[in-house]
Amino acid sequence: MKSRTYNSIRNTVVALAGQVVTIFLSFFGRTLFIRQLGASYLGINGLFTNILYVLSFAELGFGTAIAYELYKPLAENDVKRIAALMRFYAKIYKAVGIFIFVIGICLIPFLDFFIGDISELPPDIPPLWIIYILYLLNSSASYFFNYKRTIVIASQNGYIDSLNTMIFNVLKNVFQIAILFVWRAFVPYLLIQIVCTILGNVFISVKADKMFPYLEEYKCEKLDRSSVNGIVRNVFAMSCHKIGSVIVSGTDNILISKFVGVVATGYYSNYTLITSTVRTFYIQLFSSITASVGNYVAEKSKEESFAFFRRMFFVNAYIAIFCTSCLATLINPFISMLWGEEYILPHMAVIFIMVNFYITCMRQTSCIYIDTNGLFWQVKWKSVIEAFINLFASLVLANYMHWGILGVIIGTTISSLCTNWWWEPYVVFKYSLDSSMWIYWKMYGFYTTVLLLSIVFSFAFENSLSYGLLAFIIRCLISIALPNLLMFLLLGKTSEYKYFLSLLKKKIR
């Protein structure tokens, strides 16, 4: 148990440290990118990134399914089964990389279709197909050797993957910043990204080979037919989730580029950079303990798993409240200070961006329980329905009702409330915890009330402040202090708060 706790803490600390370094360099690089190249290039970056993200549906959720299959053999040191799983996984990922490249090439003649107004593109921009191929090479190359990250993470050594990611993110950002600063060149900027992606994958692959030498020794091991059938069944369920989530997450910039413009895509991508950075930081925190949760749930009773779920959901909510409250009050001043007031979106659009962010953050506990309990089949149609609702609502609101960016964002909100918001916890409570959903909704409602109060009080205190560095520092202090004070006053008497407070006191002593 102590070893598992140590691994979880180590993985979390390294993951968070890596995220902090990456965040700093990413924002510095984005600022230089905007000043050197402008909003049009920013929009092209967001558009092509989204197009290739949509193509990533080809992965179909094999990564999550294989990770789930690895937990038991890793715990039992069943080296032959581990080697067989990784051999099967390698074949799948190589096929996925080739498939994405081929399909991506087929899209080249249709690139102009995704851009609503070609006149918004800068006159000195290289041919779009060249830029697109560089993005495509980076995307498809990420699937070669990358599969070995899974065994490193599943074996509770996620800190190694986090270090690898951090090192190559730092190298990538440093060289890209140098290229932007000296040459203001977009093509070399993209070439650096490809090189760092390939090198990062090669290095993690070599490290995995050293950690698990039996992968080479038993490289000819094959999975039996029943195991393949079980994985395929889970992958079918995961593929529905993968396709749905890709459509929901990957079509926003495409729709905005088509119906509003590529410059608007650039403006919106600044908001998605900030929220996705915080969300990645947030998800990394929980992903680093997924393997430990999987082992815990496998060993404990449903009563103990439910108690653990409540505590985990409390931490989930605490961080979600804090992050959402801070973002809601700081995101516009931050963008204004860093990139200029012309990059700020209307207030209503920002409100719904925050709603989507909060809903996504609050899903993490349920998602971890679904992954670690192998409940893929029970949620197989959720994301397909979500994708259909999202695409239909976004098209109607953005194009036919002429709501533009706001329509696309609200489309995402509608699809999340109709599916993820209730479906995922329902599956966890019914098939894993065997408990009443009323307890979950009571907690969710209480935590959301705390969030709303936190935002209202923060805006009340910050209403008189203008934009600028000093005002931003004051806003930060208020945004940090108020949510924590409110959560202490409103959540301080809960058993979960007392539990983690007692743990903190023990650590301090």
Side-chain angles (χ1 to χ4, degrees):
M1 183 66 184
K2 289 183 178 179
S3 176
R4 183 186 303 150
T5 303
Y6 170 74
N7 286 338
S8 295
I9 293 172
R10 178 181 59 183
N11 291 343
T12 302
V13 169
V14 175
L16 294 180
Q19 285 299 320
V20 169
V21 174
T22 303
I23 287 168
F24 174 78
L25 287 172
S26 294
F27 279 100
F28 183 78
R30 171 62 65 104
T31 303
L32 191 61
F33 186 101
I34 290 173
R35 291 179 179 175
Q36 297 291 79
L37 298 177
S40 296
Y41 278 99
L42 195 62
I44 289 295
N45 178 70
L47 173 62
F48 286 169
T49 300
N50 265 215
I51 290 174
L52 293 169
Y53 179 70
V54 170
L55 288 182
S56 72
F57 80 89
E59 193 265 346
L60 296 178
F62 268 100
T64 305
I66 295 292
Y68 171 71
E69 293 291 334
L70 282 170
Y71 290 142
K72 185 177 179 180
L74 281 168
E76 298 174 351
N77 199 31
D78 186 351
V79 295
K80 289 187 177 181
R81 180 165 177 80
I82 294 168
L85 282 166
M86 293 306 294
R87 182 173 183 265
F88 177 71
Y89 193 21
K91 289 182 177 179
I92 295 297
Y93 254 41
K94 287 173 184 176
V96 168
I98 295 169
F99 176 83
I100 287 177
F101 184 77
V102 172
I103 298 299
I105 290 293
C106 294
L107 288 178
I108 289 177
F110 308 100
L111 292 179
D112 289 352
F113 171 79
F114 297 107
I115 300 174
D117 187 359
I118 299 294
S119 65
E120 289 186 334
L121 298 178
D124 61 339
I125 192 171
L128 283 180
W129 67 269
I130 293 178
I131 296 173
Y132 173 74
I133 285 179
L134 292 175
Y135 277 99
L136 179 59
L137 285 171
N138 183 66
S139 179
S140 56
S142 67
Y143 288 93
F144 295 94
F145 302 105
N146 192 41
Y147 67 94
K148 290 185 180 178
R149 291 180 189 272
T150 303
I151 191 172
V152 174
I153 297 169
S155 63
Q156 299 188 51
N157 290 293
Y159 74 98
I160 294 174
D161 176 59
S162 298
L163 279 173
N164 176 271
T165 302
M166 179 181 69
I167 290 168
F168 285 97
N169 272 336
V170 168
L171 289 174
K172 180 188 74 174
N173 280 285
V174 167
F175 282 112
Q176 285 183 328
I177 287 168
I179 285 170
L180 288 173
F181 187 77
V182 177
W183 292 294
R184 297 179 60 185
F186 193 43
V187 170
Y189 175 92
L190 297 177
L191 288 172
I192 290 295
Q193 185 169 281
I194 297 169
V195 171
C196 288
T197 296
I198 294 172
L199 288 178
N201 290 347
V202 170
F203 272 75
I204 198 66
S205 178
V206 171
K207 183 64 178 178
D209 289 337
K210 290 180 180 178
M211 292 174 64
F212 309 100
Y214 53 78
L215 294 179
E216 177 65 24
E217 183 180 352
Y218 298 105
K219 64 181 180 180
C220 295
E221 288 290 324
K222 294 182 179 180
L223 288 176
D224 56 88
R225 177 54 57 185
S226 61
S227 296
V228 173
N229 290 339
I231 293 172
V232 169
R233 184 178 186 272
N234 280 338
V235 167
F236 172 74
M238 286 299 299
S239 66
C240 297
H241 170 75
K242 179 72 176 179
I243 293 170
S245 62
V246 160
I247 291 174
V248 171
S249 304
T251 56
D252 283 1
N253 278 344
I254 297 173
L255 291 172
I256 292 170
S257 176
K258 177 64 179 176
F259 298 118
V260 185
V262 72
V263 173
T265 306
Y267 292 170
Y268 178 65
S269 70
N270 285 334
Y271 284 84
T272 55
L273 171 68
I274 296 170
T275 54
S276 63
T277 297
V278 177
R279 189 183 298 117
T280 301
F281 187 88
Y282 188 96
I283 293 173
Q284 187 83 52
L285 177 67
F286 284 91
S287 296
S288 61
I289 64 170
T290 299
S292 299
V293 174
N295 290 329
Y296 182 90
V297 170
E299 297 171 359
K300 301 298 181 180
S301 66
K302 288 192 175 182
E303 290 76 16
E304 290 172 308
S305 292
F306 178 65
F308 189 79
F309 179 92
R310 286 185 63 118
R311 289 170 181 169
M312 193 172 174
F313 189 56
F314 170 80
V315 175
N316 188 164
Y318 196 107
I319 301 173
I321 291 168
F322 178 74
C323 291
T324 308
S325 178
C326 288
L327 277 176
T329 54
L330 295 175
I331 194 166
N332 275 353
F334 179 79
I335 288 175
S336 174
M337 180 181 66
L338 205 60
W339 300 316
E341 287 192 31
E342 66 272 19
Y343 285 89
I344 293 178
L345 292 178
H347 288 295
M348 190 58 68
V350 178
I351 288 171
F352 278 96
I353 289 172
M354 293 300 103
V355 170
N356 293 339
F357 175 84
Y358 177 70
I359 292 172
T360 301
C361 287
M362 290 293 280
R363 294 171 53 197
Q364 295 313 306
T365 304
S366 296
C367 288
I368 287 176
Y369 264 69
I370 287 171
D371 289 348
T372 54
N373 284 277
L375 299 173
F376 312 124
W377 192 257
Q378 287 79 1
V379 294
K380 60 182 179 297
W381 299 120
K382 170 191 69 71
S383 293
V384 175
I385 296 170
E386 178 194 9
F388 175 78
I389 295 172
N390 177 264
L391 206 54
F392 178 77
S394 296
L395 282 170
V396 170
L397 295 176
N399 189 31
Y400 295 103
M401 296 188 69
H402 306 292
W403 287 10
I405 292 178
L406 178 60
V408 174
I409 299 168
I410 292 178
T412 302
T413 307
I414 292 170
S415 64
S416 293
L417 290 175
C418 290
T419 52
N420 298 322
W421 183 64
W422 66 271
W423 198 321
E424 290 167 343
Y426 169 77
V427 166
V428 171
F429 272 72
K430 181 176 181 179
Y431 296 99
S432 175
L433 303 178
D434 195 22
S435 300
S436 170
M437 278 287 292
W438 167 244
I439 300 171
Y440 175 83
W441 292 124
K442 186 178 178 181
M443 292 188 295
Y444 199 108
F446 185 51
Y447 294 143
T448 304
T449 302
V450 175
L451 169 68
L452 293 174
L453 289 172
S454 176
I455 293 175
V456 168
F457 279 114
S458 294
F459 272 118
F461 278 98
E462 299 174 15
N463 191 41
S464 60
L465 296 173
S466 59
Y467 289 165
L469 180 59
L470 179 60
F472 183 76
I473 293 172
I474 297 172
R475 287 176 189 273
C476 285
L477 295 175
I478 295 172
S479 297
I480 292 170
L482 264 176
N484 284 292
L485 177 61
L486 276 171
M487 285 187 280
F488 171 74
L489 294 173
L490 299 174
L491 303 175
K493 293 184 178 180
T494 62
S495 60
E496 290 80 17
Y497 194 101
K498 291 177 180 177
Y499 172 78
F500 285 105
L501 187 61
S502 66
L503 283 182
L504 181 62
K505 289 179 179 178
K506 286 179 182 178
K507 293 295 179 184
I508 292 173
R509 292 196 190 106

